[in-house]
Amino acid sequence: MEKKPEFCGGRKKNQIISLSIVGVLIFLTFYTLRKITGNLEFSYLWSVIRGLEGKYVLLALVFMALFVIIEGQCLAIFAKALGHQAGFRSATVYAASDIYFSAITPSATGGQPASAYYMARDGIPVSQATTILVVNILLYTISLILMGLWALVMKFRFFLHAGTLLQILFAVGMALQLLLVALCLLCMFSQDLIRKIGHWVVGVLHRFRFIRSKEDKLEKIDSSIGNYQAGIKFVKKKPLLMGAVLVGNLLQRIAFFSIGWFVYKAFGLSQMGYGEFVALQSLLAMAVNSLPIPGAIGASEGSFLLLFQGVYPVQILAPAMLLTRGINYYVCFVLCGIYMLIYHVCMGKRTEREENE
């Protein structure tokens, strides 16, 4: 019987530290933006918000919810294939925990351990939860790469004039996503090679005293590779399932990018088509997705202003950025946190009833 993992990311102290860092980043970001744009006064923002078309703001919120729900259903499909039933509520908490902790940790490192913790609570063995998450993040990354390449082809001329900084960020982001795919495949298909690479990296870090306990790190690498190796059997047995969940991940990305489109429509604008707008959102996501900053705070806001300065009129560019980021990041991770809290309360009451019976 496998031991359930301790979810370090869920400890109150760690959450408080992470949320404090996010708070500082938000303050610095909006302080800087206010200095740069000069039109982030509350009275002005409120007047802009009052003039929005409410039905499009509502649609943006609906697609934000779809973004969370689709991820949960992708994970539930994998769990079912491995013999575990994950209801709508449980599947959604797997996704909500991933999104919440990814939003408050650098490079989204807290998301997968959070999902694994909740899966383990529901009786899914740790090795199988690891397999589900590794294969899903592989397909998620592939979907992001596909969307990025499609966007690059569709908006290539625009990209050429987008500025050197964004071009560099996009290139680095694409390279890192391809590297992540390669590492996931290596973990599943070439156990010996990835072990040698991992041992070499640990040896270098230990030599330069970046890590103290070399043996502990090597043991963790060997254990992780053993878990990831289970994914190869999963892929071989379920090729059609992989294709279906890849489509699900693509739909999840489209739902996320559609939030910006509905914000655009809420301002009463229609000069740019849906496909073009989604392509720009894809370019933006690729540029900032791999940055080692919680939620890419600061980089996302600044990149939005650079990328969409020709799309929105100057006077509403900053408010449009605030509303788009407000829904697809800030509101999203807050609501995911609230959903997890409600889930915990309900589970606590259920456990208490079962103990009293």
Side-chain angles (χ1 to χ4, degrees):
M1 185 175 179
E2 296 189 36
K3 183 181 177 182
K4 291 185 180 181
E6 276 190 40
F7 179 38
C8 296
R11 292 175 183 169
K12 290 183 179 180
K13 182 179 178 181
N14 289 346
Q15 286 197 57
I16 291 171
I17 293 172
S18 296
L19 289 171
S20 298
I21 293 172
V22 169
V24 171
L25 288 171
I26 292 172
F27 173 79
L28 292 175
T29 296
F30 287 100
Y31 177 81
T32 304
L33 290 174
R34 184 177 179 183
K35 290 292 184 181
I36 294 173
T37 61
N39 63 345
L40 288 181
E41 296 294 336
F42 179 78
S43 58
Y44 175 71
L45 292 174
W46 179 243
S47 67
V48 171
I49 291 171
R50 290 179 62 185
L52 296 174
E53 294 188 38
K55 62 180 180 180
Y56 289 114
V57 176
L58 179 60
L59 282 170
L61 292 170
V62 168
F63 272 73
M64 178 205 70
L66 283 175
F67 167 70
V68 180
I69 291 169
I70 293 172
E71 179 178 340
Q73 291 308 300
C74 288
L75 296 174
I77 290 171
F78 280 139
K80 185 177 181 180
L82 289 171
H84 304 280
Q85 293 295 329
F88 180 84
R89 185 174 62 173
S90 294
T92 305
V93 87
Y94 301 160
S97 59
D98 178 17
I99 292 167
Y100 175 78
F101 286 101
S102 292
I104 63 174
T105 53
S107 298
T109 52
Q112 282 69 47
S115 289
Y117 169 79
Y118 285 102
M119 288 182 190
R121 278 184 56 137
D122 289 345
I124 300 176
V126 176
S127 59
Q128 292 187 0
T130 303
T131 297
I132 292 169
L133 293 167
V134 169
V135 178
N136 190 64
I137 197 172
L138 171 63
L139 297 177
Y140 176 89
T141 306
I142 291 174
S143 70
L144 185 61
I145 291 171
L146 291 175
M147 292 290 292
L149 292 174
W150 165 76
L152 186 61
V153 171
M154 187 169 183
K155 301 294 293 182
F156 186 69
R157 289 186 179 179
F158 184 95
F159 179 76
L160 290 178
H161 298 89
T164 304
L165 178 60
L166 277 171
Q167 291 169 356
I168 292 174
L169 287 175
F170 180 90
V172 171
M174 178 65 74
L176 290 175
Q177 295 304 312
L178 290 170
L179 178 61
L180 180 58
V181 169
L183 288 174
C184 286
L185 292 175
L186 279 173
C187 285
M188 292 190 293
F189 289 94
S190 183
Q191 185 172 347
D192 291 337
L193 179 57
I194 195 64
R195 179 180 285 109
K196 288 178 181 178
I197 294 173
H199 283 214
W200 175 77
V201 170
V202 169
V204 171
L205 293 175
H206 180 68
R207 190 177 304 127
F208 287 94
R209 298 183 179 180
F210 286 105
I211 58 175
R212 293 182 180 179
S213 179
K214 179 180 177 180
E215 289 72 22
D216 287 347
K217 295 296 182 184
L218 293 177
E219 185 179 341
K220 287 181 179 179
I221 287 175
D222 291 340
S223 175
S224 298
I225 291 172
N227 290 332
Y228 293 159
Q229 190 68 15
I232 180 60
K233 296 179 180 179
F234 193 56
V235 171
K236 283 183 176 179
K237 291 180 180 178
K238 306 286 184 179
L240 293 179
L241 183 66
M242 299 303 114
V245 178
L246 176 59
V247 172
N249 275 277
L250 286 168
L251 291 175
Q252 186 196 11
R253 299 313 304 166
I254 292 171
F256 182 81
F257 297 144
S258 296
I259 294 171
W261 162 254
F262 289 120
V263 171
Y264 176 75
K265 295 294 290 182
F267 281 94
L269 302 172
S270 58
Q271 288 80 6
M272 180 170 282
Y274 175 78
E276 287 185 286
F277 201 95
V278 170
L280 288 183
Q281 291 281 67
S282 300
L283 292 176
L284 176 61
M286 182 59 73
V288 303
N289 193 67
S290 300
L291 294 176
I293 307 169
I297 297 173
S300 288
E301 287 80 4
S303 298
F304 186 101
L305 295 177
L306 290 173
L307 198 59
F308 287 89
Q309 60 185 345
V311 176
Y312 284 100
V314 176
Q315 64 272 21
I316 62 171
L317 176 60
M321 178 273 293
L322 289 178
L323 187 59
T324 302
R325 278 287 283 170
I327 294 175
N328 69 19
Y329 175 70
Y330 300 103
V331 172
C332 186
F333 98 76
V334 168
L335 290 180
C336 283
I338 292 172
Y339 185 86
M340 288 167 55
L341 178 61
I342 294 172
Y343 179 84
H344 273 288
V345 171
C346 293
M347 289 299 293
K349 289 182 178 179
R350 179 181 173 183
T351 302
E352 186 178 343
R353 283 198 306 270
E354 291 175 350
E355 290 176 351
N356 292 332
E357 290 178 356

